[in-house]
């Protein structure tokens, strides 16, 4: 995931809201917070068990539900690249778009002021109070797709961080 995207601090937010945390829950929340990828429930369980062997699937699902309800994490399906799994990530301060590559499966995160403007436009014109947005774009990434030789110079060294 893009390191530049600032994410909510789960443990701090839960503690400040008086949520009681068992050692199992705390271990799982740390795993979610530290994850560098978008992980599904099975992978979260596996990683959390390395810290707290007694954690079970039910705890994972209950904790995910709690974090979703508190709007601290987002649930994604990432274009169903891996079937029907759902993936989780800590909410970022600013919404981002997910670009899913159908060839290599890479998930890229993308932010744009235009996305913020689109949300504002939706709110104003449709009179809609937005609670959450989710935008996924499927296609081929720059590593897999045809090279964009013609446009030239639009890429800089900052794009090399996804190796
Ligand atoms: Zn790709
Ligand atoms: Zn993301």
């Amino acid at each position: 995931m893009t390191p530049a995207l600032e994410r909510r601090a789960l443990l701090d937010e839960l503690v400040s809201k008086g949520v009681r945390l068992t050692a199992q829950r705390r271990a799982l929340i740390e795993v979610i917070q530290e994850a560098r990828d978008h992980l599904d429930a099975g992978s979260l369980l596996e990683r959390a068990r390395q810290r707290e062997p007694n954690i079970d699937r039910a705890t994972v699902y209950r904790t995910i539900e709690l974090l979703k309800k508190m709007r601290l994490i987002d649930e994604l399906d990432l274009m169903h690249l891996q079937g029907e799994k759902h993936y989780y990530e800590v909410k970022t301060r600013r919404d981002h778009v997910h670009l899913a590559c159908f060839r290599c499966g890479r998930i890229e995160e993308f932010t744009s002021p235009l996305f913020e403007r689109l949300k504002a436009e939706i709110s104003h014109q449709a009179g809609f109070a937005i609670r959450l947005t989710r935008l996924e774009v499927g296609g081929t990434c720059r590593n897999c797709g045809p090279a964009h030789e013609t446009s030239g110079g639009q890429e800089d060294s900052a794009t090399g961080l996804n190796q």
Side-chain angles (χ1 to χ4, degrees), residues 101-121:
C101 178
F102 290 134
R103 290 209 188 140
C104 70
R106 196 160 74 96
I107 305 296
E108 206 173 328
E109 297 183 319
F110 190 86
T111 54
S112 165
L114 281 179
F115 192 39
E116 301 304 315
R117 275 167 53 195
L118 175 62
K119 288 193 299 180
E121 194 177 317

Side-chain angles (χ1 to χ4, degrees), residues 66-100:
L66 173 77
L67 294 172
K68 266 166 58 183
K69 207 180 290 174
M70 295 180 76
R71 293 191 227 163
L72 294 172
I73 60 170
D74 280 326
E75 185 172 55
L76 315 160
D77 57 39
L78 300 178
M79 287 283 165
H80 297 294
L81 290 181
Q82 314 279 339
E84 296 305 306
K85 284 179 185 174
H86 285 174
Y87 301 87
Y88 303 92
E89 70 175 337
V90 183
K91 257 192 183 307
T92 47
R93 302 277 172 197
R94 199 164 157 205
D95 280 333
H96 59 277
V97 176
H98 290 101
L99 314 180

Side-chain angles (χ1 to χ4, degrees), residues 2-160:
T2 311
L5 286 173
E6 196 197 336
R7 293 183 193 267
R8 311 278 295 263
L10 297 181
L11 283 173
D12 291 353
E13 303 226 19
L14 290 168
V15 167
S16 77
K17 292 188 170 76
V19 177
R20 206 179 62 88
L21 294 172
T22 60
Q24 283 88 350
R25 269 189 169 185
R26 181 176 285 269
L28 175 65
I29 287 163
E30 284 169 0
V31 166
I32 297 173
Q33 185 83 61
E34 291 164 16
R36 290 276 145 260
D37 312 297
H38 304 83
L39 298 176
D40 70 315
S43 314
L44 289 172
L45 175 63
E46 219 169 89
R47 291 197 191 181
R49 270 188 177 151
Q50 290 167 10
R51 299 170 191 226
E52 279 291 327
N54 295 326
I55 193 165
D56 59 15
R57 201 164 277 272
T59 304
V60 172
Y61 285 115
R62 278 200 303 266
T63 307
I64 285 172
E65 282 312 308
L66 173 77
L67 294 172
K68 266 166 58 183
K69 207 180 290 174
M70 295 180 76
R71 293 191 227 163
L72 294 172
I73 60 170
D74 280 326
E75 185 172 55
L76 315 160
D77 57 39
L78 300 178
M79 287 283 165
H80 297 294
L81 290 181
Q82 314 279 339
E84 296 305 306
K85 284 179 185 174
H86 285 174
Y87 301 87
Y88 303 92
E89 70 175 337
V90 183
K91 257 192 183 307
T92 47
R93 302 277 172 197
R94 199 164 157 205
D95 280 333
H96 59 277
V97 176
H98 290 101
L99 314 180
C101 178
F102 290 134
R103 290 209 188 140
C104 70
R106 196 160 74 96
I107 305 296
E108 206 173 328
E109 297 183 319
F110 190 86
T111 54
S112 165
L114 281 179
F115 192 39
E116 301 304 315
R117 275 167 53 195
L118 175 62
K119 288 193 299 180
E121 194 177 317
I122 291 167
S123 289
H124 292 147
Q125 295 192 13
F128 194 83
I130 297 175
R131 182 185 286 212
L132 69 90
T133 54
R134 192 182 296 165
L135 179 57
E136 297 182 356
V137 179
T140 37
C141 73
R142 65 167 68 79
N143 296 332
C144 299
H148 308 270
E149 301 106 8
T150 49
S151 38
Q154 86 278 29
E155 313 226 320
D156 58 54
S157 56
T159 58

